[in-house]
């Protein structure tokens, strides 16, 4: 074991948030050993901004609870931990772990329960990578390095503690962690890890619960190096294990959004991991929509059913929580509305809670070369920056163009299919389209036609009396969209 001077490696109390210092101090005062460990120490040494700080101690969860009282909650069964709340921060405090007992390991070697308390020497070998096993005591200005981790930091190498195959079998999620850290830190994966990281090994991820895989997928999406990690997921056959039916190719849309996501994180903007799921599943959604359209389902129903199917399939690998599902389906549904808005709905669409996400999605589709958006991404981009008067003018212009297009297409299509899904029973006299052309965005030519149907006169502009009527204005203020509302 080497004791390093922390300040020599750029670590200092002033670089730590007060919450983690308080955790260390409270435990120390109560007579326990306490260290900062894991990503916080690693990232500070590398000059990165740590995502969070984790603490480790020789106090058991019950003793941690006694030291922090109501500010502490014990969580987890497989892996018992203390959550300590200091102000707005949440600090995870783990207890030193000894090797797990034999009887809590599955036939495949996976550790099912891991609550065997031990010493710091036993604890460090239980951690995954050497660079995640440095113990920092800020009050003493020391780092305990049991495994030459500092050399691996210098040579930018991801090295497992112990035999890689055994470490993967114990916990297959370490495969995802390997790729995540390789991409995030721009480290090389040690050759002995690469050697055992085979497609067969990746199959072990099937034993991981969809909840845990969803959590891990979110970490992949939000770490700021999404564009680097996606090819690695494909290369190591992990993609297939976590993304059910999504073809393992990074199409221009996925690539564009991944880059955009990383840029947003870099400048401190918020991102919603559900957005990336919506992007990944988009092609599957379009295909499934087509499948239902071929069965002569009305477009809105086809889309709704396709959305359900595609998300249900993905749930067999990573859970998609209800609010995430709603978000994804709303973003997809928004595509239809933004592509062919009724002129009188444009203003309220722009104020819709899902407008931002729906517009970003459309715009990024367009920017990545999807021509089926018909330039509407750019149209909305410009629309948002206009003054009120200018908006009225462009809506009128848009309206005229739609009417012209409508006239061209009325000879070939005749349908009363609503743009917004209508839950009411269909009249047996209403006509159905036998064949419907679907573009790659899942918007049928029938949809486009219907969108323009509302405009009975070719040249309605913002001065048209109907737009001035109080009732119309009131109705527009309450427009709701689609089945996923
Ligand atoms: P980051 O927080 O930046 O994602 P991290 O290394 O801190 O990275 P956490 O998931 O916060 O990752 O875990 C904290 C520490 O717990 C790790 O650094 C590692 O020492 C240990 N650890 C976490 N998950 C595992 C695992 N599956 N196997 C072994 N050790 C793990
Ligand atoms: Mg961490």
């Amino acid at each position: 074991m080497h004791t390093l001077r922390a300040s020599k490696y750029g670590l200092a109390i002033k670089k730590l948030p007060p919450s983690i210092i308080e955790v260390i101090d409270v435990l120390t005062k109560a007579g326990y050993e306490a260290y900062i460990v894991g990503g916080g120490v690693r990232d500070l040494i590398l000059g990165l901004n740590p995502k969070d700080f984790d603490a480790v101690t020789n106090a058991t969860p019950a003793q941690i609870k006694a030291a922090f009282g109501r500010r502490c909650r014990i969580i987890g069964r497989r892996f018992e931990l203390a959550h300590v709340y200091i102000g707005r921060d949440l600090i995870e405090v783990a207890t030193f772990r000894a090797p797990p007992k034999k009887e809590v390991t599955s036939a495949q070697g996976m550790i099912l329960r891991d609550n065997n308390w031990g010493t710091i020497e036993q604890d460090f070998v239980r951690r995954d990578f050497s660079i995640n096993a440095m113990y920092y005591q800020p009050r003493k200005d020391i780092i305990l390095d049991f495994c030459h981790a500092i050399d691996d930091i210098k040579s930018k190498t991801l090295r497992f503690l112990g035999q890689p195959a055994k470490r993967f079998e114990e916990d297959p999620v370490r495969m995802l962690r390997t790729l995540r850290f390789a991409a995030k830190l721009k480290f090389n994966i040690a050759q002995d890890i690469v050697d055992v990281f085979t497609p067969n090994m990746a199959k072990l991820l099937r034993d991981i619960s969809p909840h845990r895989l969803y959590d891990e997928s979110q970490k992949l999406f939000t770490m700021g190096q999404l564009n680097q990690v996606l090819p690695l997921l494909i290369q190591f056959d992990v993609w297939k294990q976590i993304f059910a039916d999504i073809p393992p190719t990074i199409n221009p849309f996925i690539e564009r959004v991944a880059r955009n996501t990383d840029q947003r994180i870099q400048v401190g903007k918020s991102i919603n991991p559900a957005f990336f799921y919506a992007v990944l599943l988009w092609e599957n959604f379009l295909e499934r929509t087509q499948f239902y359209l071929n069965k002569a389902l009305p477009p809105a129903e086809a889309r709704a059913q396709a959305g359900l199917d595609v998300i249900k399939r993905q749930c067999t690998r990573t859970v998609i929580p209800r609010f995430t599902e709603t978000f994804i389906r709303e973003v997809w549904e928004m595509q239809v509305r933004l592509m062919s808005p009724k002129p009188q709905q444009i203003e309220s669409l722009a104020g819709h809670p899902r407008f931002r996400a729906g517009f970003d999605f459309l715009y990024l589709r367009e920017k990545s070369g999807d021509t089926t958006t018909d330039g509407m991404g750019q149209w909305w981009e410009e629309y948002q920056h206009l003054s009120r008067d200018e908006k009225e003018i462009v809506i009128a212009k848009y309206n005229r163009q739609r009417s012209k297009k409508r006239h061209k297409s009325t000879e070939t299509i005749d349908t009363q299919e609503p743009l917004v899904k209508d839950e009411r029973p269909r009249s047996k006299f209403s006509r159905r389209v036998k064949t419907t052309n679907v573009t790659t965005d899942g918007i049928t030519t029938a949809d486009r036609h219907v969108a323009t149907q509302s405009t009975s006169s070719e040249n309605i502009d913002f001065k048209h009396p109907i737009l001035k009527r109080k009732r119309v204005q009131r109705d527009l203020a309450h427009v709701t969209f689609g089945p996923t509302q």
Side-chain angles (χ1 to χ4, degrees), residues 87-344:
R88 289 163 151 246
D89 289 353
L90 162 66
I91 308 284
E92 266 187 17
V93 186
T95 303
F96 292 146
R97 278 177 163 76
K101 294 191 179 126
K102 242 204 158 44
E103 57 270 28
V104 291
T105 307
S106 78
Q108 284 75 33
M110 197 160 106
I111 298 172
L112 303 175
R113 204 168 273 210
D114 196 359
N115 293 322
N116 205 20
W117 315 132
T119 62
I120 191 167
E121 287 81 6
Q122 289 173 314
D123 186 85
F124 100 84
V125 281
R126 303 291 326 282
R127 295 187 176 270
D128 46 5
F129 301 101
S130 59
I131 56 165
N132 286 346
M134 289 184 281
Y135 297 75
Y136 172 38
Q137 210 326 333
R139 292 290 179 199
K140 294 187 186 161
D141 189 32
I142 55 167
I143 302 170
L144 305 185
D145 180 359
F146 294 88
C147 53
H148 303 286
I150 205 75
D151 295 339
D152 291 329
I153 293 245
K154 285 179 190 156
S155 66
K156 294 185 167 289
T157 309
L158 270 185
R159 186 168 58 84
F160 261 137
L161 297 169
Q163 282 178 6
K166 183 161 177 280
R167 304 310 314 266
F168 279 155
E169 283 157 11
E170 281 173 358
D171 183 2
V173 164
R174 288 176 188 151
M175 285 181 253
L176 289 176
R177 291 176 62 86
T178 303
L179 303 183
R180 176 154 63 89
F181 293 131
K184 174 175 161 172
L185 308 173
K186 301 191 175 65
F187 270 38
N188 301 310
I189 305 173
Q191 190 57 43
D192 61 349
I193 301 181
V194 175
D195 290 345
V196 299
F197 205 155
T198 59
N200 248 351
M201 186 65 88
K203 280 190 192 148
L204 293 181
L205 281 166
R206 292 189 187 167
D207 298 333
I208 302 299
S209 81
H211 280 98
R212 194 158 173 229
L213 283 186
Y214 177 73
D215 286 350
E216 288 299 324
S217 71
Q218 284 200 310
K219 289 183 193 169
L220 291 174
F221 297 173
T222 56
M223 69 159 160
Q225 302 292 340
L226 186 49
N227 219 21
Q228 269 68 39
V229 86
L230 291 177
L232 293 177
L233 295 179
I234 295 175
Q235 186 188 335
F236 287 92
D237 233 32
V238 165
W239 178 293
K240 255 199 263 168
Q241 306 308 331
I242 56 175
F243 297 139
D245 292 340
I246 305 170
T249 40
I250 302 165
N251 65 36
F253 182 35
I254 294 177
E255 207 234 292
R256 179 95 196 186
V257 176
R259 224 168 345 116
N260 186 264
T261 306
D262 293 342
Q263 279 162 2
R264 284 182 69 95
I265 291 170
Q266 210 167 29
V267 296
K269 286 192 188 166
S270 69
I271 68 139
N272 181 350
F275 188 86
F276 199 64
Y277 265 113
V279 172
L280 284 174
L281 295 166
W282 176 237
E283 291 288 332
N284 296 45
F285 167 73
L286 294 180
E287 262 172 41
R288 197 68 183 158
T289 304
Q290 181 64 64
F291 167 83
Y292 282 117
L293 288 172
N294 290 346
K295 290 184 173 247
L297 240 70
E301 271 174 47
R303 288 195 304 273
Q305 195 53 50
L308 282 176
D309 289 2
V310 166
I311 289 173
K312 199 168 161 199
R313 269 299 291 166
Q314 179 55 30
C315 279
T316 60
R317 293 299 156 85
T318 62
V319 147
I320 303 278
R322 175 69 77 196
F323 63 89
T324 306
E325 172 174 349
T326 307
F327 175 91
I328 294 172
R329 296 184 61 209
E330 283 178 348
V331 166
W332 289 342
E333 194 59 28
M334 261 286 170
Q335 300 309 293
V336 181
R337 290 172 221 309
L338 296 177
M339 284 284 303
S340 308
K342 291 180 184 170
Q344 66 271 37

Side-chain angles (χ1 to χ4, degrees), residues 39-40 51-54:
K51 191 180 86 203
D52 51 34
F53 288 91
D54 304 297

Side-chain angles (χ1 to χ4, degrees), residues 468-480:
K468 290 188 177 159
R469 277 193 210 154
K470 273 224 171 83
R471 194 175 66 79
V472 172
Q473 283 176 9
R474 194 196 59 217
D475 288 352
L476 291 182
H478 295 101
V479 175
T480 54

